[in-house]
Amino acid sequence: MNHHAFVFAAQQFLGFELCHALLEKGWTVTAIDEHKETKDKWMEIGRNANLEYVSYGGWDKRVRRGSSVFLPYYDQVRGNRAGYLSEVDELLSKVDQPFHVIRIYSNGKGNRGLEENGAAFYLPTLYGIHQPEEFLFAQILTGKGEGTDYVDDPSGAIYVKDAAKMIVNLSSRKESFTLKPLSDRSWNEALSYITNETFSAGHREVDVVGKEVIVRPSKSHKGIIDQQEKGIRLHEIEE
């Protein structure tokens, strides 16, 4: 059976990896975002007949019957990116058509009242290639920012590709999940491969929403950080 997914914020950090993970599973993906297609980024996936990119302005406001809709609120990052997701959510709530909605939030955020018609995921810090500059890891690696104003959740750090694959694997369920790393000190452990400086964020407890799911890392912290740093260098060369 061919599954169809509509992924919004598809060129953002997590949204892009959701597209990649879905395509690897054989899904057909309609990728939607505010801006024109960033062809260099999609080259990482390569040519794929199952992928269609549509700008948000060009989207006909329809969702194919029986599709899954991915809304990665995680990618809003202080609300200055993918701010249209709430608009999409409201639009979909008025459509009398069966489809499954998957909402993905940062820990401590979310809208419990919207979770009954689909799945919800709560995540700590995600890191890896294309991590936005609002995150501490990216600030240090790019030399931008003073390391005093960042959006990281120090309760844990999960490789963005591992998180995306886990979300796709569990997306068909009508449940809530809190994704957690294998180690409670994973954020600090990953940070130690970037800098020797100590940051005061420290460890904090997170209220688990729904079922707790441990995401086992597919790569080492060092390997992920090396990949993230290489991606930054390539981006600087292209500019």
Side-chain angles (χ1 to χ4, degrees), residues 21-36:
L22 287 161
L23 290 166
E24 286 184 338
K25 284 282 189 178
W27 288 57
T28 298
V29 176
T30 299
I32 300 171
D33 208 345
E34 289 177 292
H35 307 293
K36 67 179 182 180

Side-chain angles (χ1 to χ4, degrees), residues 94-160:
K94 299 175 181 177
V95 178
D96 185 21
Q97 183 174 318
F99 43 75
H100 184 64
V101 182
I102 299 95
R103 300 177 179 87
I104 306 119
Y105 306 103
S106 298
N107 281 331
K109 299 182 180 179
N111 189 335
R112 308 288 174 83
L114 295 174
E115 294 171 11
E116 294 181 358
N117 66 336
F121 293 86
Y122 293 85
L123 316 179
T125 296
L126 299 183
Y127 73 116
I129 192 168
H130 305 308
Q131 187 190 50
E133 291 177 2
E134 286 84 358
F135 287 85
L136 179 62
F137 294 8
Q139 288 181 15
I140 297 172
L141 289 171
T142 60
K144 299 177 181 178
E146 299 178 357
T148 57
D149 185 23
Y150 48 88
V151 299
D152 296 51
D153 174 358
S155 69
I158 298 175
Y159 182 30
V160 63

